[in-house]
Amino acid sequence: MSKLISKPQMSKESLLPLLAQHILEQGLGGASLRPLAKAAGTSDRMLIYHFGNKEQLLTDVLEHIAGIYSAALDAGVGDEKAVTRQQCVARILAQGREPAMQPFMALWWEIVAGAARGIPGYREAAESMMAELLGWLETQMPADDPDPAGGARYLLTLIEGSLMLGMVGHARTAREGLLASDLSPS
């Protein structure tokens, strides 16, 4: 008698980490159904079965990736609240520059470029991700900050600009700009 070896049941939840890994490695350009299915060890039909359509699949995968990114940010900045806006910026920029965060940053800039080009779905994805990040940043503001919502928006603008400048080889420009605003990590 031969024993049947059963494969683990495939589900949306079991597929998301595999799809996320593929998109983080290949970008959204490699996010057509066949390459995604191959990366997940399934068929494109099974992906549609689990997600309904490609748009929902990408929405769900990007939400999954945003959750991973958020958890990495939380782990990187720690549980202790920043005492100053400067400390808040320094922690977030340090985390954003970590090598493990670079696939997330590359994907983020790909989404931003897609939104700028008017590619369907990219602007909505960027708006959703930015709203989540902004909400998270408000929780990171110093306890005695006089305007946590406004401060979070100000810091988000500086952080995004600084990380983007660093990605295109202008980390020094970003540092000098932060120094001019008194928010540079020393």
Side-chain angles (χ1 to χ4, degrees), residues 80-152:
E80 193 174 313
K81 217 169 189 61
V83 177
T84 64
R85 286 182 179 183
Q86 180 181 16
Q87 186 182 40
C88 187
V89 166
R91 287 178 176 179
I92 295 167
L93 286 176
Q95 185 62 20
R97 291 180 180 133
E98 285 292 318
M101 299 301 275
Q102 295 316 296
F104 295 97
M105 299 308 301
L107 179 60
W108 171 241
W109 295 114
E110 187 177 354
I111 291 168
V112 169
R117 288 190 185 100
I119 298 172
Y122 280 60
R123 183 179 183 101
E124 295 81 4
E127 286 175 352
S128 174
M129 295 168 91
M130 193 53 60
E132 287 286 325
L133 185 57
L134 186 56
W136 176 84
L137 186 55
E138 284 183 35
T139 70
Q140 301 301 309
M141 296 303 292
D144 64 347
D145 195 282
D147 181 11

Side-chain angles (χ1 to χ4, degrees), residues 1 5 7 33 47 57 63 71 114 127-128 140 145 170 177:
M1 263 188 166
I5 300 172
K7 291 171 87 175
L33 285 176
L47 290 180
L57 179 149
E63 285 177 10
E127 286 175 352
S128 174
Q140 301 301 309
D145 195 282
H170 278 266

Side-chain angles (χ1 to χ4, degrees), residues 39 59 73:
T59 297
L73 276 177

Side-chain angles (χ1 to χ4, degrees), residues 86 172-186:
Q86 180 181 16
R172 182 176 174 189
T173 301
R175 269 191 312 279
E176 290 171 357
L178 290 172
L179 278 171
S181 70
D182 270 344
L183 288 170
S184 177
S186 299

Side-chain angles (χ1 to χ4, degrees), residues 1-8:
M1 263 188 166
S2 66
K3 288 186 177 183
L4 292 176
I5 300 172
S6 63
K7 291 171 87 175

